[in-house]
Amino acid sequence: MTTVRTTRPTRSAHVRLRPRRTPAWWRDAVAISCWGSALTVILLWLSGRGVQLLASGPADLLISTGRLTGLVAADLLLVQVFLMARVPMIERSYGQDELARRHRLVGFYSFNLLLAHIVLITVGYTLRDHSSLLRETWTVVTTYGGMLLAVAATIALTLVVFTSVRLARRALRYESWHLLHLYAYVGVGLSIPHEIWTGQDFSTSRLAQVYWWSAYAVAAAAIVFYRAGLPIWRTLRHGITVISVVRESADVVSVQLAGRGLHRLGVQAGQFLVFRFLDGPGWSRGNPYSLSAPPRHNRLRITAKDAGDGSSRLAGLRPGTKVLIEGPYGRLTGERRVGRRVAMLACGIGITPLRALLEDLPYSPGDAVLVYRARSAPDLVFREELDDLARQRGITVHYLLGRRIPDRNSWLPQEAAEWDDAAALEALVPNLTSYDVFVCGPDSWMDAVAAAALKAGLPADQLHQERFTW
């Protein structure tokens, strides 16, 4: 089941870059800001006689409640924008995988509140005007200011929500999903005229106008600066180009990149960047790739498996190809360590960020363990590099080969089916609770590893993983 290699270390020539620590209060500040924005919206609704109207009859009750749901929906929509605007303070506090989960959760709440707003307002107007529901709907859409744009905004946001459902995401390529997801910005933009022209809370309160205009201005500035301005500046500053492409296996390639002053980029081992290679049609579609080696002062290396249009074209890149970059992103770094020992568990191409961490992190000989799961020996990426690292730094390496265990969500191969997941992990990593455990691989495999580690008694703050799914 395993191959174990523990050797006497030699001195590594790699000079490590000191990681930047993320202040602990940043995360609290972001959370307080999000909750504070929702509270502000509710207070503005209260100041606009929102509660008093609830007791003024069925029509006013529905209309006032519809106003509240619409206001909170609009605020949560802006929160979504901030969560995915690549603001460094937010990125470094939460990490991309947690941000994506929170973004999706806030999005569904926002969309449901938007639907409630539409229904409550329409039914409320119908009761107030003593009209039929269809006639009132037609009147509202065709005669109220900005309503046609609001309908278009609702359609755009509906498209985004439906393509965010897990089944839809699985049916779409990353590039197609990312393009469709940009309609969220269209939805936000098209909803503004409706709020200005017909929104009672906007038109009757100077304080509300100041709040909403400020919120939209800050959101727009964050998008322009962090999604466009900062990546362009970093691209021009560092001048990154392709210097070579190396095939690691039948479906995995590594791309060596060169640039100026990359130590000022702030990237750490374990992180990823979004790359756009200026090699022809399709260059505008960015793809996220993890570093597979620690960053040097003028070198980066990424490694990817052929899993779509973006990654499949890496093999055809030519030396000298210019590269646009976004990032760095991700929190699967040494900054999260709480102890001196490290255990790395990788499956498939998930070895990429962990291989970089193994070379970069400080630890003593015998204080690092790598467990690498693959279907067969040819699928072991970086086999020679990992063996060299084992000799240089005294790493214990276990290669687990074989197919999945049928009808069981396990991180072990079929040849180890008689083992309990937690017991096998404790056998491979003795005294597991003294280690920081880093995990990367397919989602279901990572779930199995996490369950086994926690069952074996590993404290939750010593388990480090980051999802790279979208």
Side-chain angles (χ1 to χ4, degrees), residues 122 126 131-142:
T122 304
T126 299
S131 177
S132 68
L133 183 61
L134 290 177
R135 182 185 297 275
E136 190 66 31
T137 301
W138 177 258
T139 300
V140 169
V141 171
T142 57

Side-chain angles (χ1 to χ4, degrees), residues 286-303:
N287 284 271
Y289 299 117
S290 296
L291 298 185
S292 58
R296 314 286 180 167
H297 287 281
N298 61 350
R299 291 287 189 275
L300 297 175
R301 187 181 74 172
I302 59 174
T303 302

Side-chain angles (χ1 to χ4, degrees), residues 202-407:
F202 193 101
S203 60
T204 61
S205 169
R206 176 65 62 181
L207 186 60
Q209 292 176 12
V210 170
Y211 171 78
W212 285 107
W213 277 122
S214 299
Y216 280 119
V218 173
I223 294 169
V224 171
F225 184 79
Y226 292 113
R227 296 302 296 261
L230 186 58
I232 292 173
W233 179 75
R234 283 175 170 166
T235 295
L236 296 176
R237 181 189 192 191
H238 297 292
I240 296 177
T241 58
V242 175
I243 57 174
S244 66
V245 177
V246 177
R247 184 164 290 282
E248 306 287 356
S249 68
D251 56 355
V252 176
V253 297
S254 289
V255 181
Q256 292 278 0
L257 305 165
R260 301 183 298 270
L262 295 180
H263 61 285
R264 295 194 298 269
L265 183 58
V267 62
Q268 302 178 44
Q271 291 188 303
F272 67 95
L273 297 95
V274 176
F275 294 87
R276 291 177 172 84
F277 297 94
L278 305 183
D279 60 341
W283 67 267
S284 60
R285 294 191 292 268
N287 284 271
Y289 299 117
S290 296
L291 298 185
S292 58
R296 314 286 180 167
H297 287 281
N298 61 350
R299 291 287 189 275
L300 297 175
R301 187 181 74 172
I302 59 174
T303 302
K305 184 176 182 178
D306 183 358
D309 288 353
S311 51
S312 63
R313 62 193 291 180
L314 293 182
L317 292 175
R318 296 182 178 181
T321 300
K322 295 183 178 181
V323 186
L324 303 179
I325 60 168
E326 291 182 37
Y329 305 126
R331 297 182 67 232
L332 194 69
T333 67
E335 182 180 333
R336 303 175 67 185
R337 284 176 69 182
V338 299
R340 62 183 179 84
R341 292 180 170 182
V342 293
M344 307 285 177
L345 284 91
C347 182
I349 198 61
I351 188 62
T352 301
L354 301 191
R355 182 253 174 267
L357 283 168
L358 272 176
E359 181 177 348
D360 190 66
L361 293 180
Y363 50 82
S364 301
D367 282 347
V369 178
L370 170 66
V371 180
Y372 186 4
R373 170 84 168 81
R375 174 168 291 191
S376 63
D379 295 316
L380 291 171
V381 184
F382 307 129
R383 175 69 180 267
E384 292 184 5
E385 294 184 15
L386 294 172
D387 290 344
D388 286 341
L389 275 174
R391 286 189 292 270
Q392 292 172 4
R393 304 201 58 189
I395 304 170
T396 300
V397 180
H398 304 278
Y399 297 116
L400 306 187
L401 305 178
R403 296 179 177 273
R404 297 178 179 178
I405 300 176
D407 304 320

